[in-house]
Amino acid sequence: MTTVDQLAEQLAAESARLEVELKEIELLVAQARTEAVRHESRRAAAADKLASMGSSTSAREAIDLANQTVTLTRRAALMDAQVEILDAKRKGVIRLKETLEEQAARFRATDDEADGEPDEGGDEGAAGAGAGATDDEAAGWAGGRRGRGRAGDDGVASPAVSRIILTAQEDLRREIARAMHDGPAQSLTNIVLQAEIVERLVGRDPTAAELEVRQLVAMVQQTLEATKAFIFDVRPMVLDDLGLVPTLRRAARDRGRRAGIAVEFESLGMDRRLPVELESGLFRILDEALGGYLALRPDRASLRLDWSEDLVIELAAGRSVAEVAGPDLPPDDAKLPPALAEMVQQRRADHAKAVEEASRAAVVQLPPGLWRDLSGRARSLGIKAELLDEGGRLRLVAPLPSADVAAPSGTAAGSGDAG
């Protein structure tokens, strides 16, 4: 069991790690600002040149300069956005670091207080816990002593805990805002710029305008698809409407298509609706694990659900084992001179080593950091999580509620495909 002092040391170590990350972010901010200024200067020069063009300028030159201006505008806007994102991340890291340091100091003070001062009831409470109380009661007494000052008797979280929760909420909002800025918002900005190009070309060069319109339509379609994908990543509505199986089927299909890897999906047995927190937790764990596997470029991936007494889910990824040609050697029982026999034995050992390395290269291992995060979340939901086959297969076992448990409000009890 982690003690208060150990927890304080962990928080201090995390604070030190954040200090290193903060320096890296500040360096990136400085670099991004330099790039933003450079792109803005080039954009301004191109815009001035475009505005000063006379009637003698050819349409081709005007189009090229307009495209150059749009490209530089995009790059300048992208670098400005990068500066804003990095600066927001820097502020968030600073706040988190200060919170961790404050919590570490509080834990140390609480531990010192618990060691130096008796709780209410003095030695009588300690004697009662040691002599007449059960082990659970004694543990509860000790835990209550260590936890003193962290929450009030009414169960309200302490200000420090509240600040941690608020910081986590702000981090989530910041991530959503960043994703919106880098995705749909940036795409809409590009659409506006493209529409302005079309507007300038309509009267001057209809043929060129027609080509630009086609590009504009393609940009709108891409933005629509990106927006749908963004909404699905934030909170797939199909999870609330239809349940876990259709949502995972769609996630496997979409992630596989983006990675260029077909993900096999199979659900055995009669699926059912689960409590909201369990459905959401399972989906997030499997979706992030699938993304982690696909990022390693496996040859194949599969997701299998088995609805029996418990819900057993297996997510696996791997590569085909490269064939290692065997050496042309004499039989094992062949009588050879000692030197030749030693050479043959060495070649057999080299071949066995090459086969072992080929088998090891075929393993697609879930990143350790991601596994620690996912296994921790699984434990908090009462899900048994195992990493098998040297990290190439994730196995989850979730207890199923009784059949008479109602489905989440506003949803159907059955499930269908997500479409």
Side-chain angles (χ1 to χ4, degrees):
M1 180 180 294
T2 304
T3 64
V4 175
D5 188 58
Q6 289 173 338
L7 183 56
E9 292 300 325
Q10 292 175 6
L11 291 175
E14 182 66 15
S15 177
R17 187 190 66 79
L18 289 176
E19 179 66 28
V20 176
E21 182 179 352
L22 185 60
K23 293 180 180 178
E24 294 176 353
I25 293 174
E26 290 174 346
L27 178 60
L28 292 175
V29 168
Q31 294 175 349
R33 282 178 176 158
T34 302
E35 286 295 312
V37 171
R38 185 172 67 85
H39 287 309
E40 177 59 27
S41 299
R42 295 178 59 190
R43 184 207 65 78
D48 292 341
K49 186 176 180 180
L50 182 62
S52 62
M53 279 186 171
S55 57
S56 60
T57 305
S58 65
R60 185 71 267 168
E61 291 177 349
I63 292 174
D64 290 342
L65 190 55
N67 289 336
Q68 182 182 358
T69 303
V70 170
T71 300
L72 291 172
T73 301
R74 291 174 181 172
R75 291 177 180 175
L78 182 61
M79 296 312 300
D80 286 337
Q82 189 71 13
V83 170
E84 293 177 3
I85 294 168
L86 289 171
D87 193 53
K89 185 176 181 180
R90 181 182 64 83
K91 294 177 181 177
V93 170
I94 291 175
R95 286 198 297 268
L96 180 58
K97 179 176 177 295
E98 292 174 350
T99 302
L100 291 177
E101 291 173 348
E102 181 181 352
Q103 284 297 101
R106 284 177 177 270
F107 287 156
R108 290 193 182 98
T110 301
D111 192 40
D112 293 342
E113 182 182 356
D115 291 339
E117 297 180 5
D119 201 356
E120 294 181 2
D123 295 338
E124 295 179 1
T134 64
D135 291 343
D136 291 341
E137 291 170 343
W141 174 83
R145 221 181 139 199
R146 285 192 297 268
R148 183 178 53 193
R150 299 180 194 176
D153 294 337
D154 56 356
V156 178
S158 68
V161 175
S162 298
R163 280 195 296 272
I164 292 177
I165 295 174
L166 290 174
T167 300
Q169 291 175 340
E170 288 302 316
D171 289 342
L172 179 59
R173 293 188 181 100
R174 189 178 298 109
E175 285 298 315
I176 293 176
R178 180 196 60 78
M180 281 293 294
H181 187 282
D182 292 352
Q186 187 65 37
S187 298
L188 290 173
T189 301
N190 295 338
I191 289 173
V192 172
L193 294 173
Q194 186 69 19
E196 292 176 353
I197 294 175
V198 172
E199 183 181 14
R200 287 196 296 266
L201 291 176
V202 166
R204 187 167 53 188
D205 191 346
T207 302
E210 182 179 354
L211 296 176
E212 296 294 339
V213 167
R214 292 176 184 172
Q215 185 177 353
L216 177 60
V217 172
M219 292 174 64
V220 172
Q221 292 174 341
Q222 293 174 359
T223 301
L224 179 60
E225 292 299 321
T227 303
K228 289 181 179 179
F230 173 77
I231 294 173
F232 186 86
D233 291 339
V234 172
R235 175 67 185 182
M237 291 181 288
V238 68
L239 182 62
D240 298 322
D241 297 337
L242 300 178
L244 184 64
V245 172
T247 309
L248 287 175
R249 181 182 289 115
R250 175 177 171 180
R253 182 182 66 235
D254 291 349
R255 281 194 176 274
R257 184 179 67 248
R258 291 197 293 266
I261 302 169
V263 180
E264 298 180 7
F265 182 87
E266 185 179 19
S267 179
L268 304 176
M270 182 64 69
D271 60 287
R272 67 182 77 165
R273 295 308 306 267
L274 304 175
V276 174
E277 65 277 4
L278 183 57
E279 280 188 341
S280 299
L282 282 171
F283 168 72
R284 291 299 177 191
I285 290 172
L286 292 168
D287 185 54
E288 293 183 25
L290 179 59
Y293 276 130
L294 294 181
L296 301 175
R297 309 301 301 170
D299 294 335
R300 61 187 179 277
S302 63
L303 178 57
R304 183 177 181 272
L305 288 78
D306 186 359
W307 300 79
S308 52
E309 293 183 0
D310 292 327
L311 173 57
V312 180
I313 306 175
E314 291 193 352
L315 173 61
R319 301 185 184 94
S320 300
V321 180
E323 185 177 354
V324 180
D328 186 10
L329 299 175
D332 292 341
D333 56 354
K335 295 182 179 180
L336 303 172
L340 183 58
E342 183 179 355
M343 184 183 302
V344 169
Q345 187 65 25
Q346 182 61 43
R347 293 194 62 184
R348 286 198 177 98
D350 292 342
H351 177 259
K353 183 179 179 181
V355 171
E356 182 181 356
E357 290 178 352
S359 300
R360 190 180 302 112
V363 175
V364 179
Q365 186 178 36
L366 194 68
L370 179 58
W371 162 240
R372 287 194 298 270
D373 179 42
L374 298 182
S375 60
R377 277 191 268 170
R379 284 193 301 271
S380 67
L381 292 169
I383 301 171
K384 180 182 178 182
E386 298 177 283
L387 202 56
L388 309 173
D389 297 343
E390 299 182 11
R393 178 161 58 99
L394 173 63
R395 187 173 190 268
L396 303 178
V397 180
L400 291 175
S402 58
D404 57 352
V405 174
S409 59
T411 61
S415 66
D417 201 346

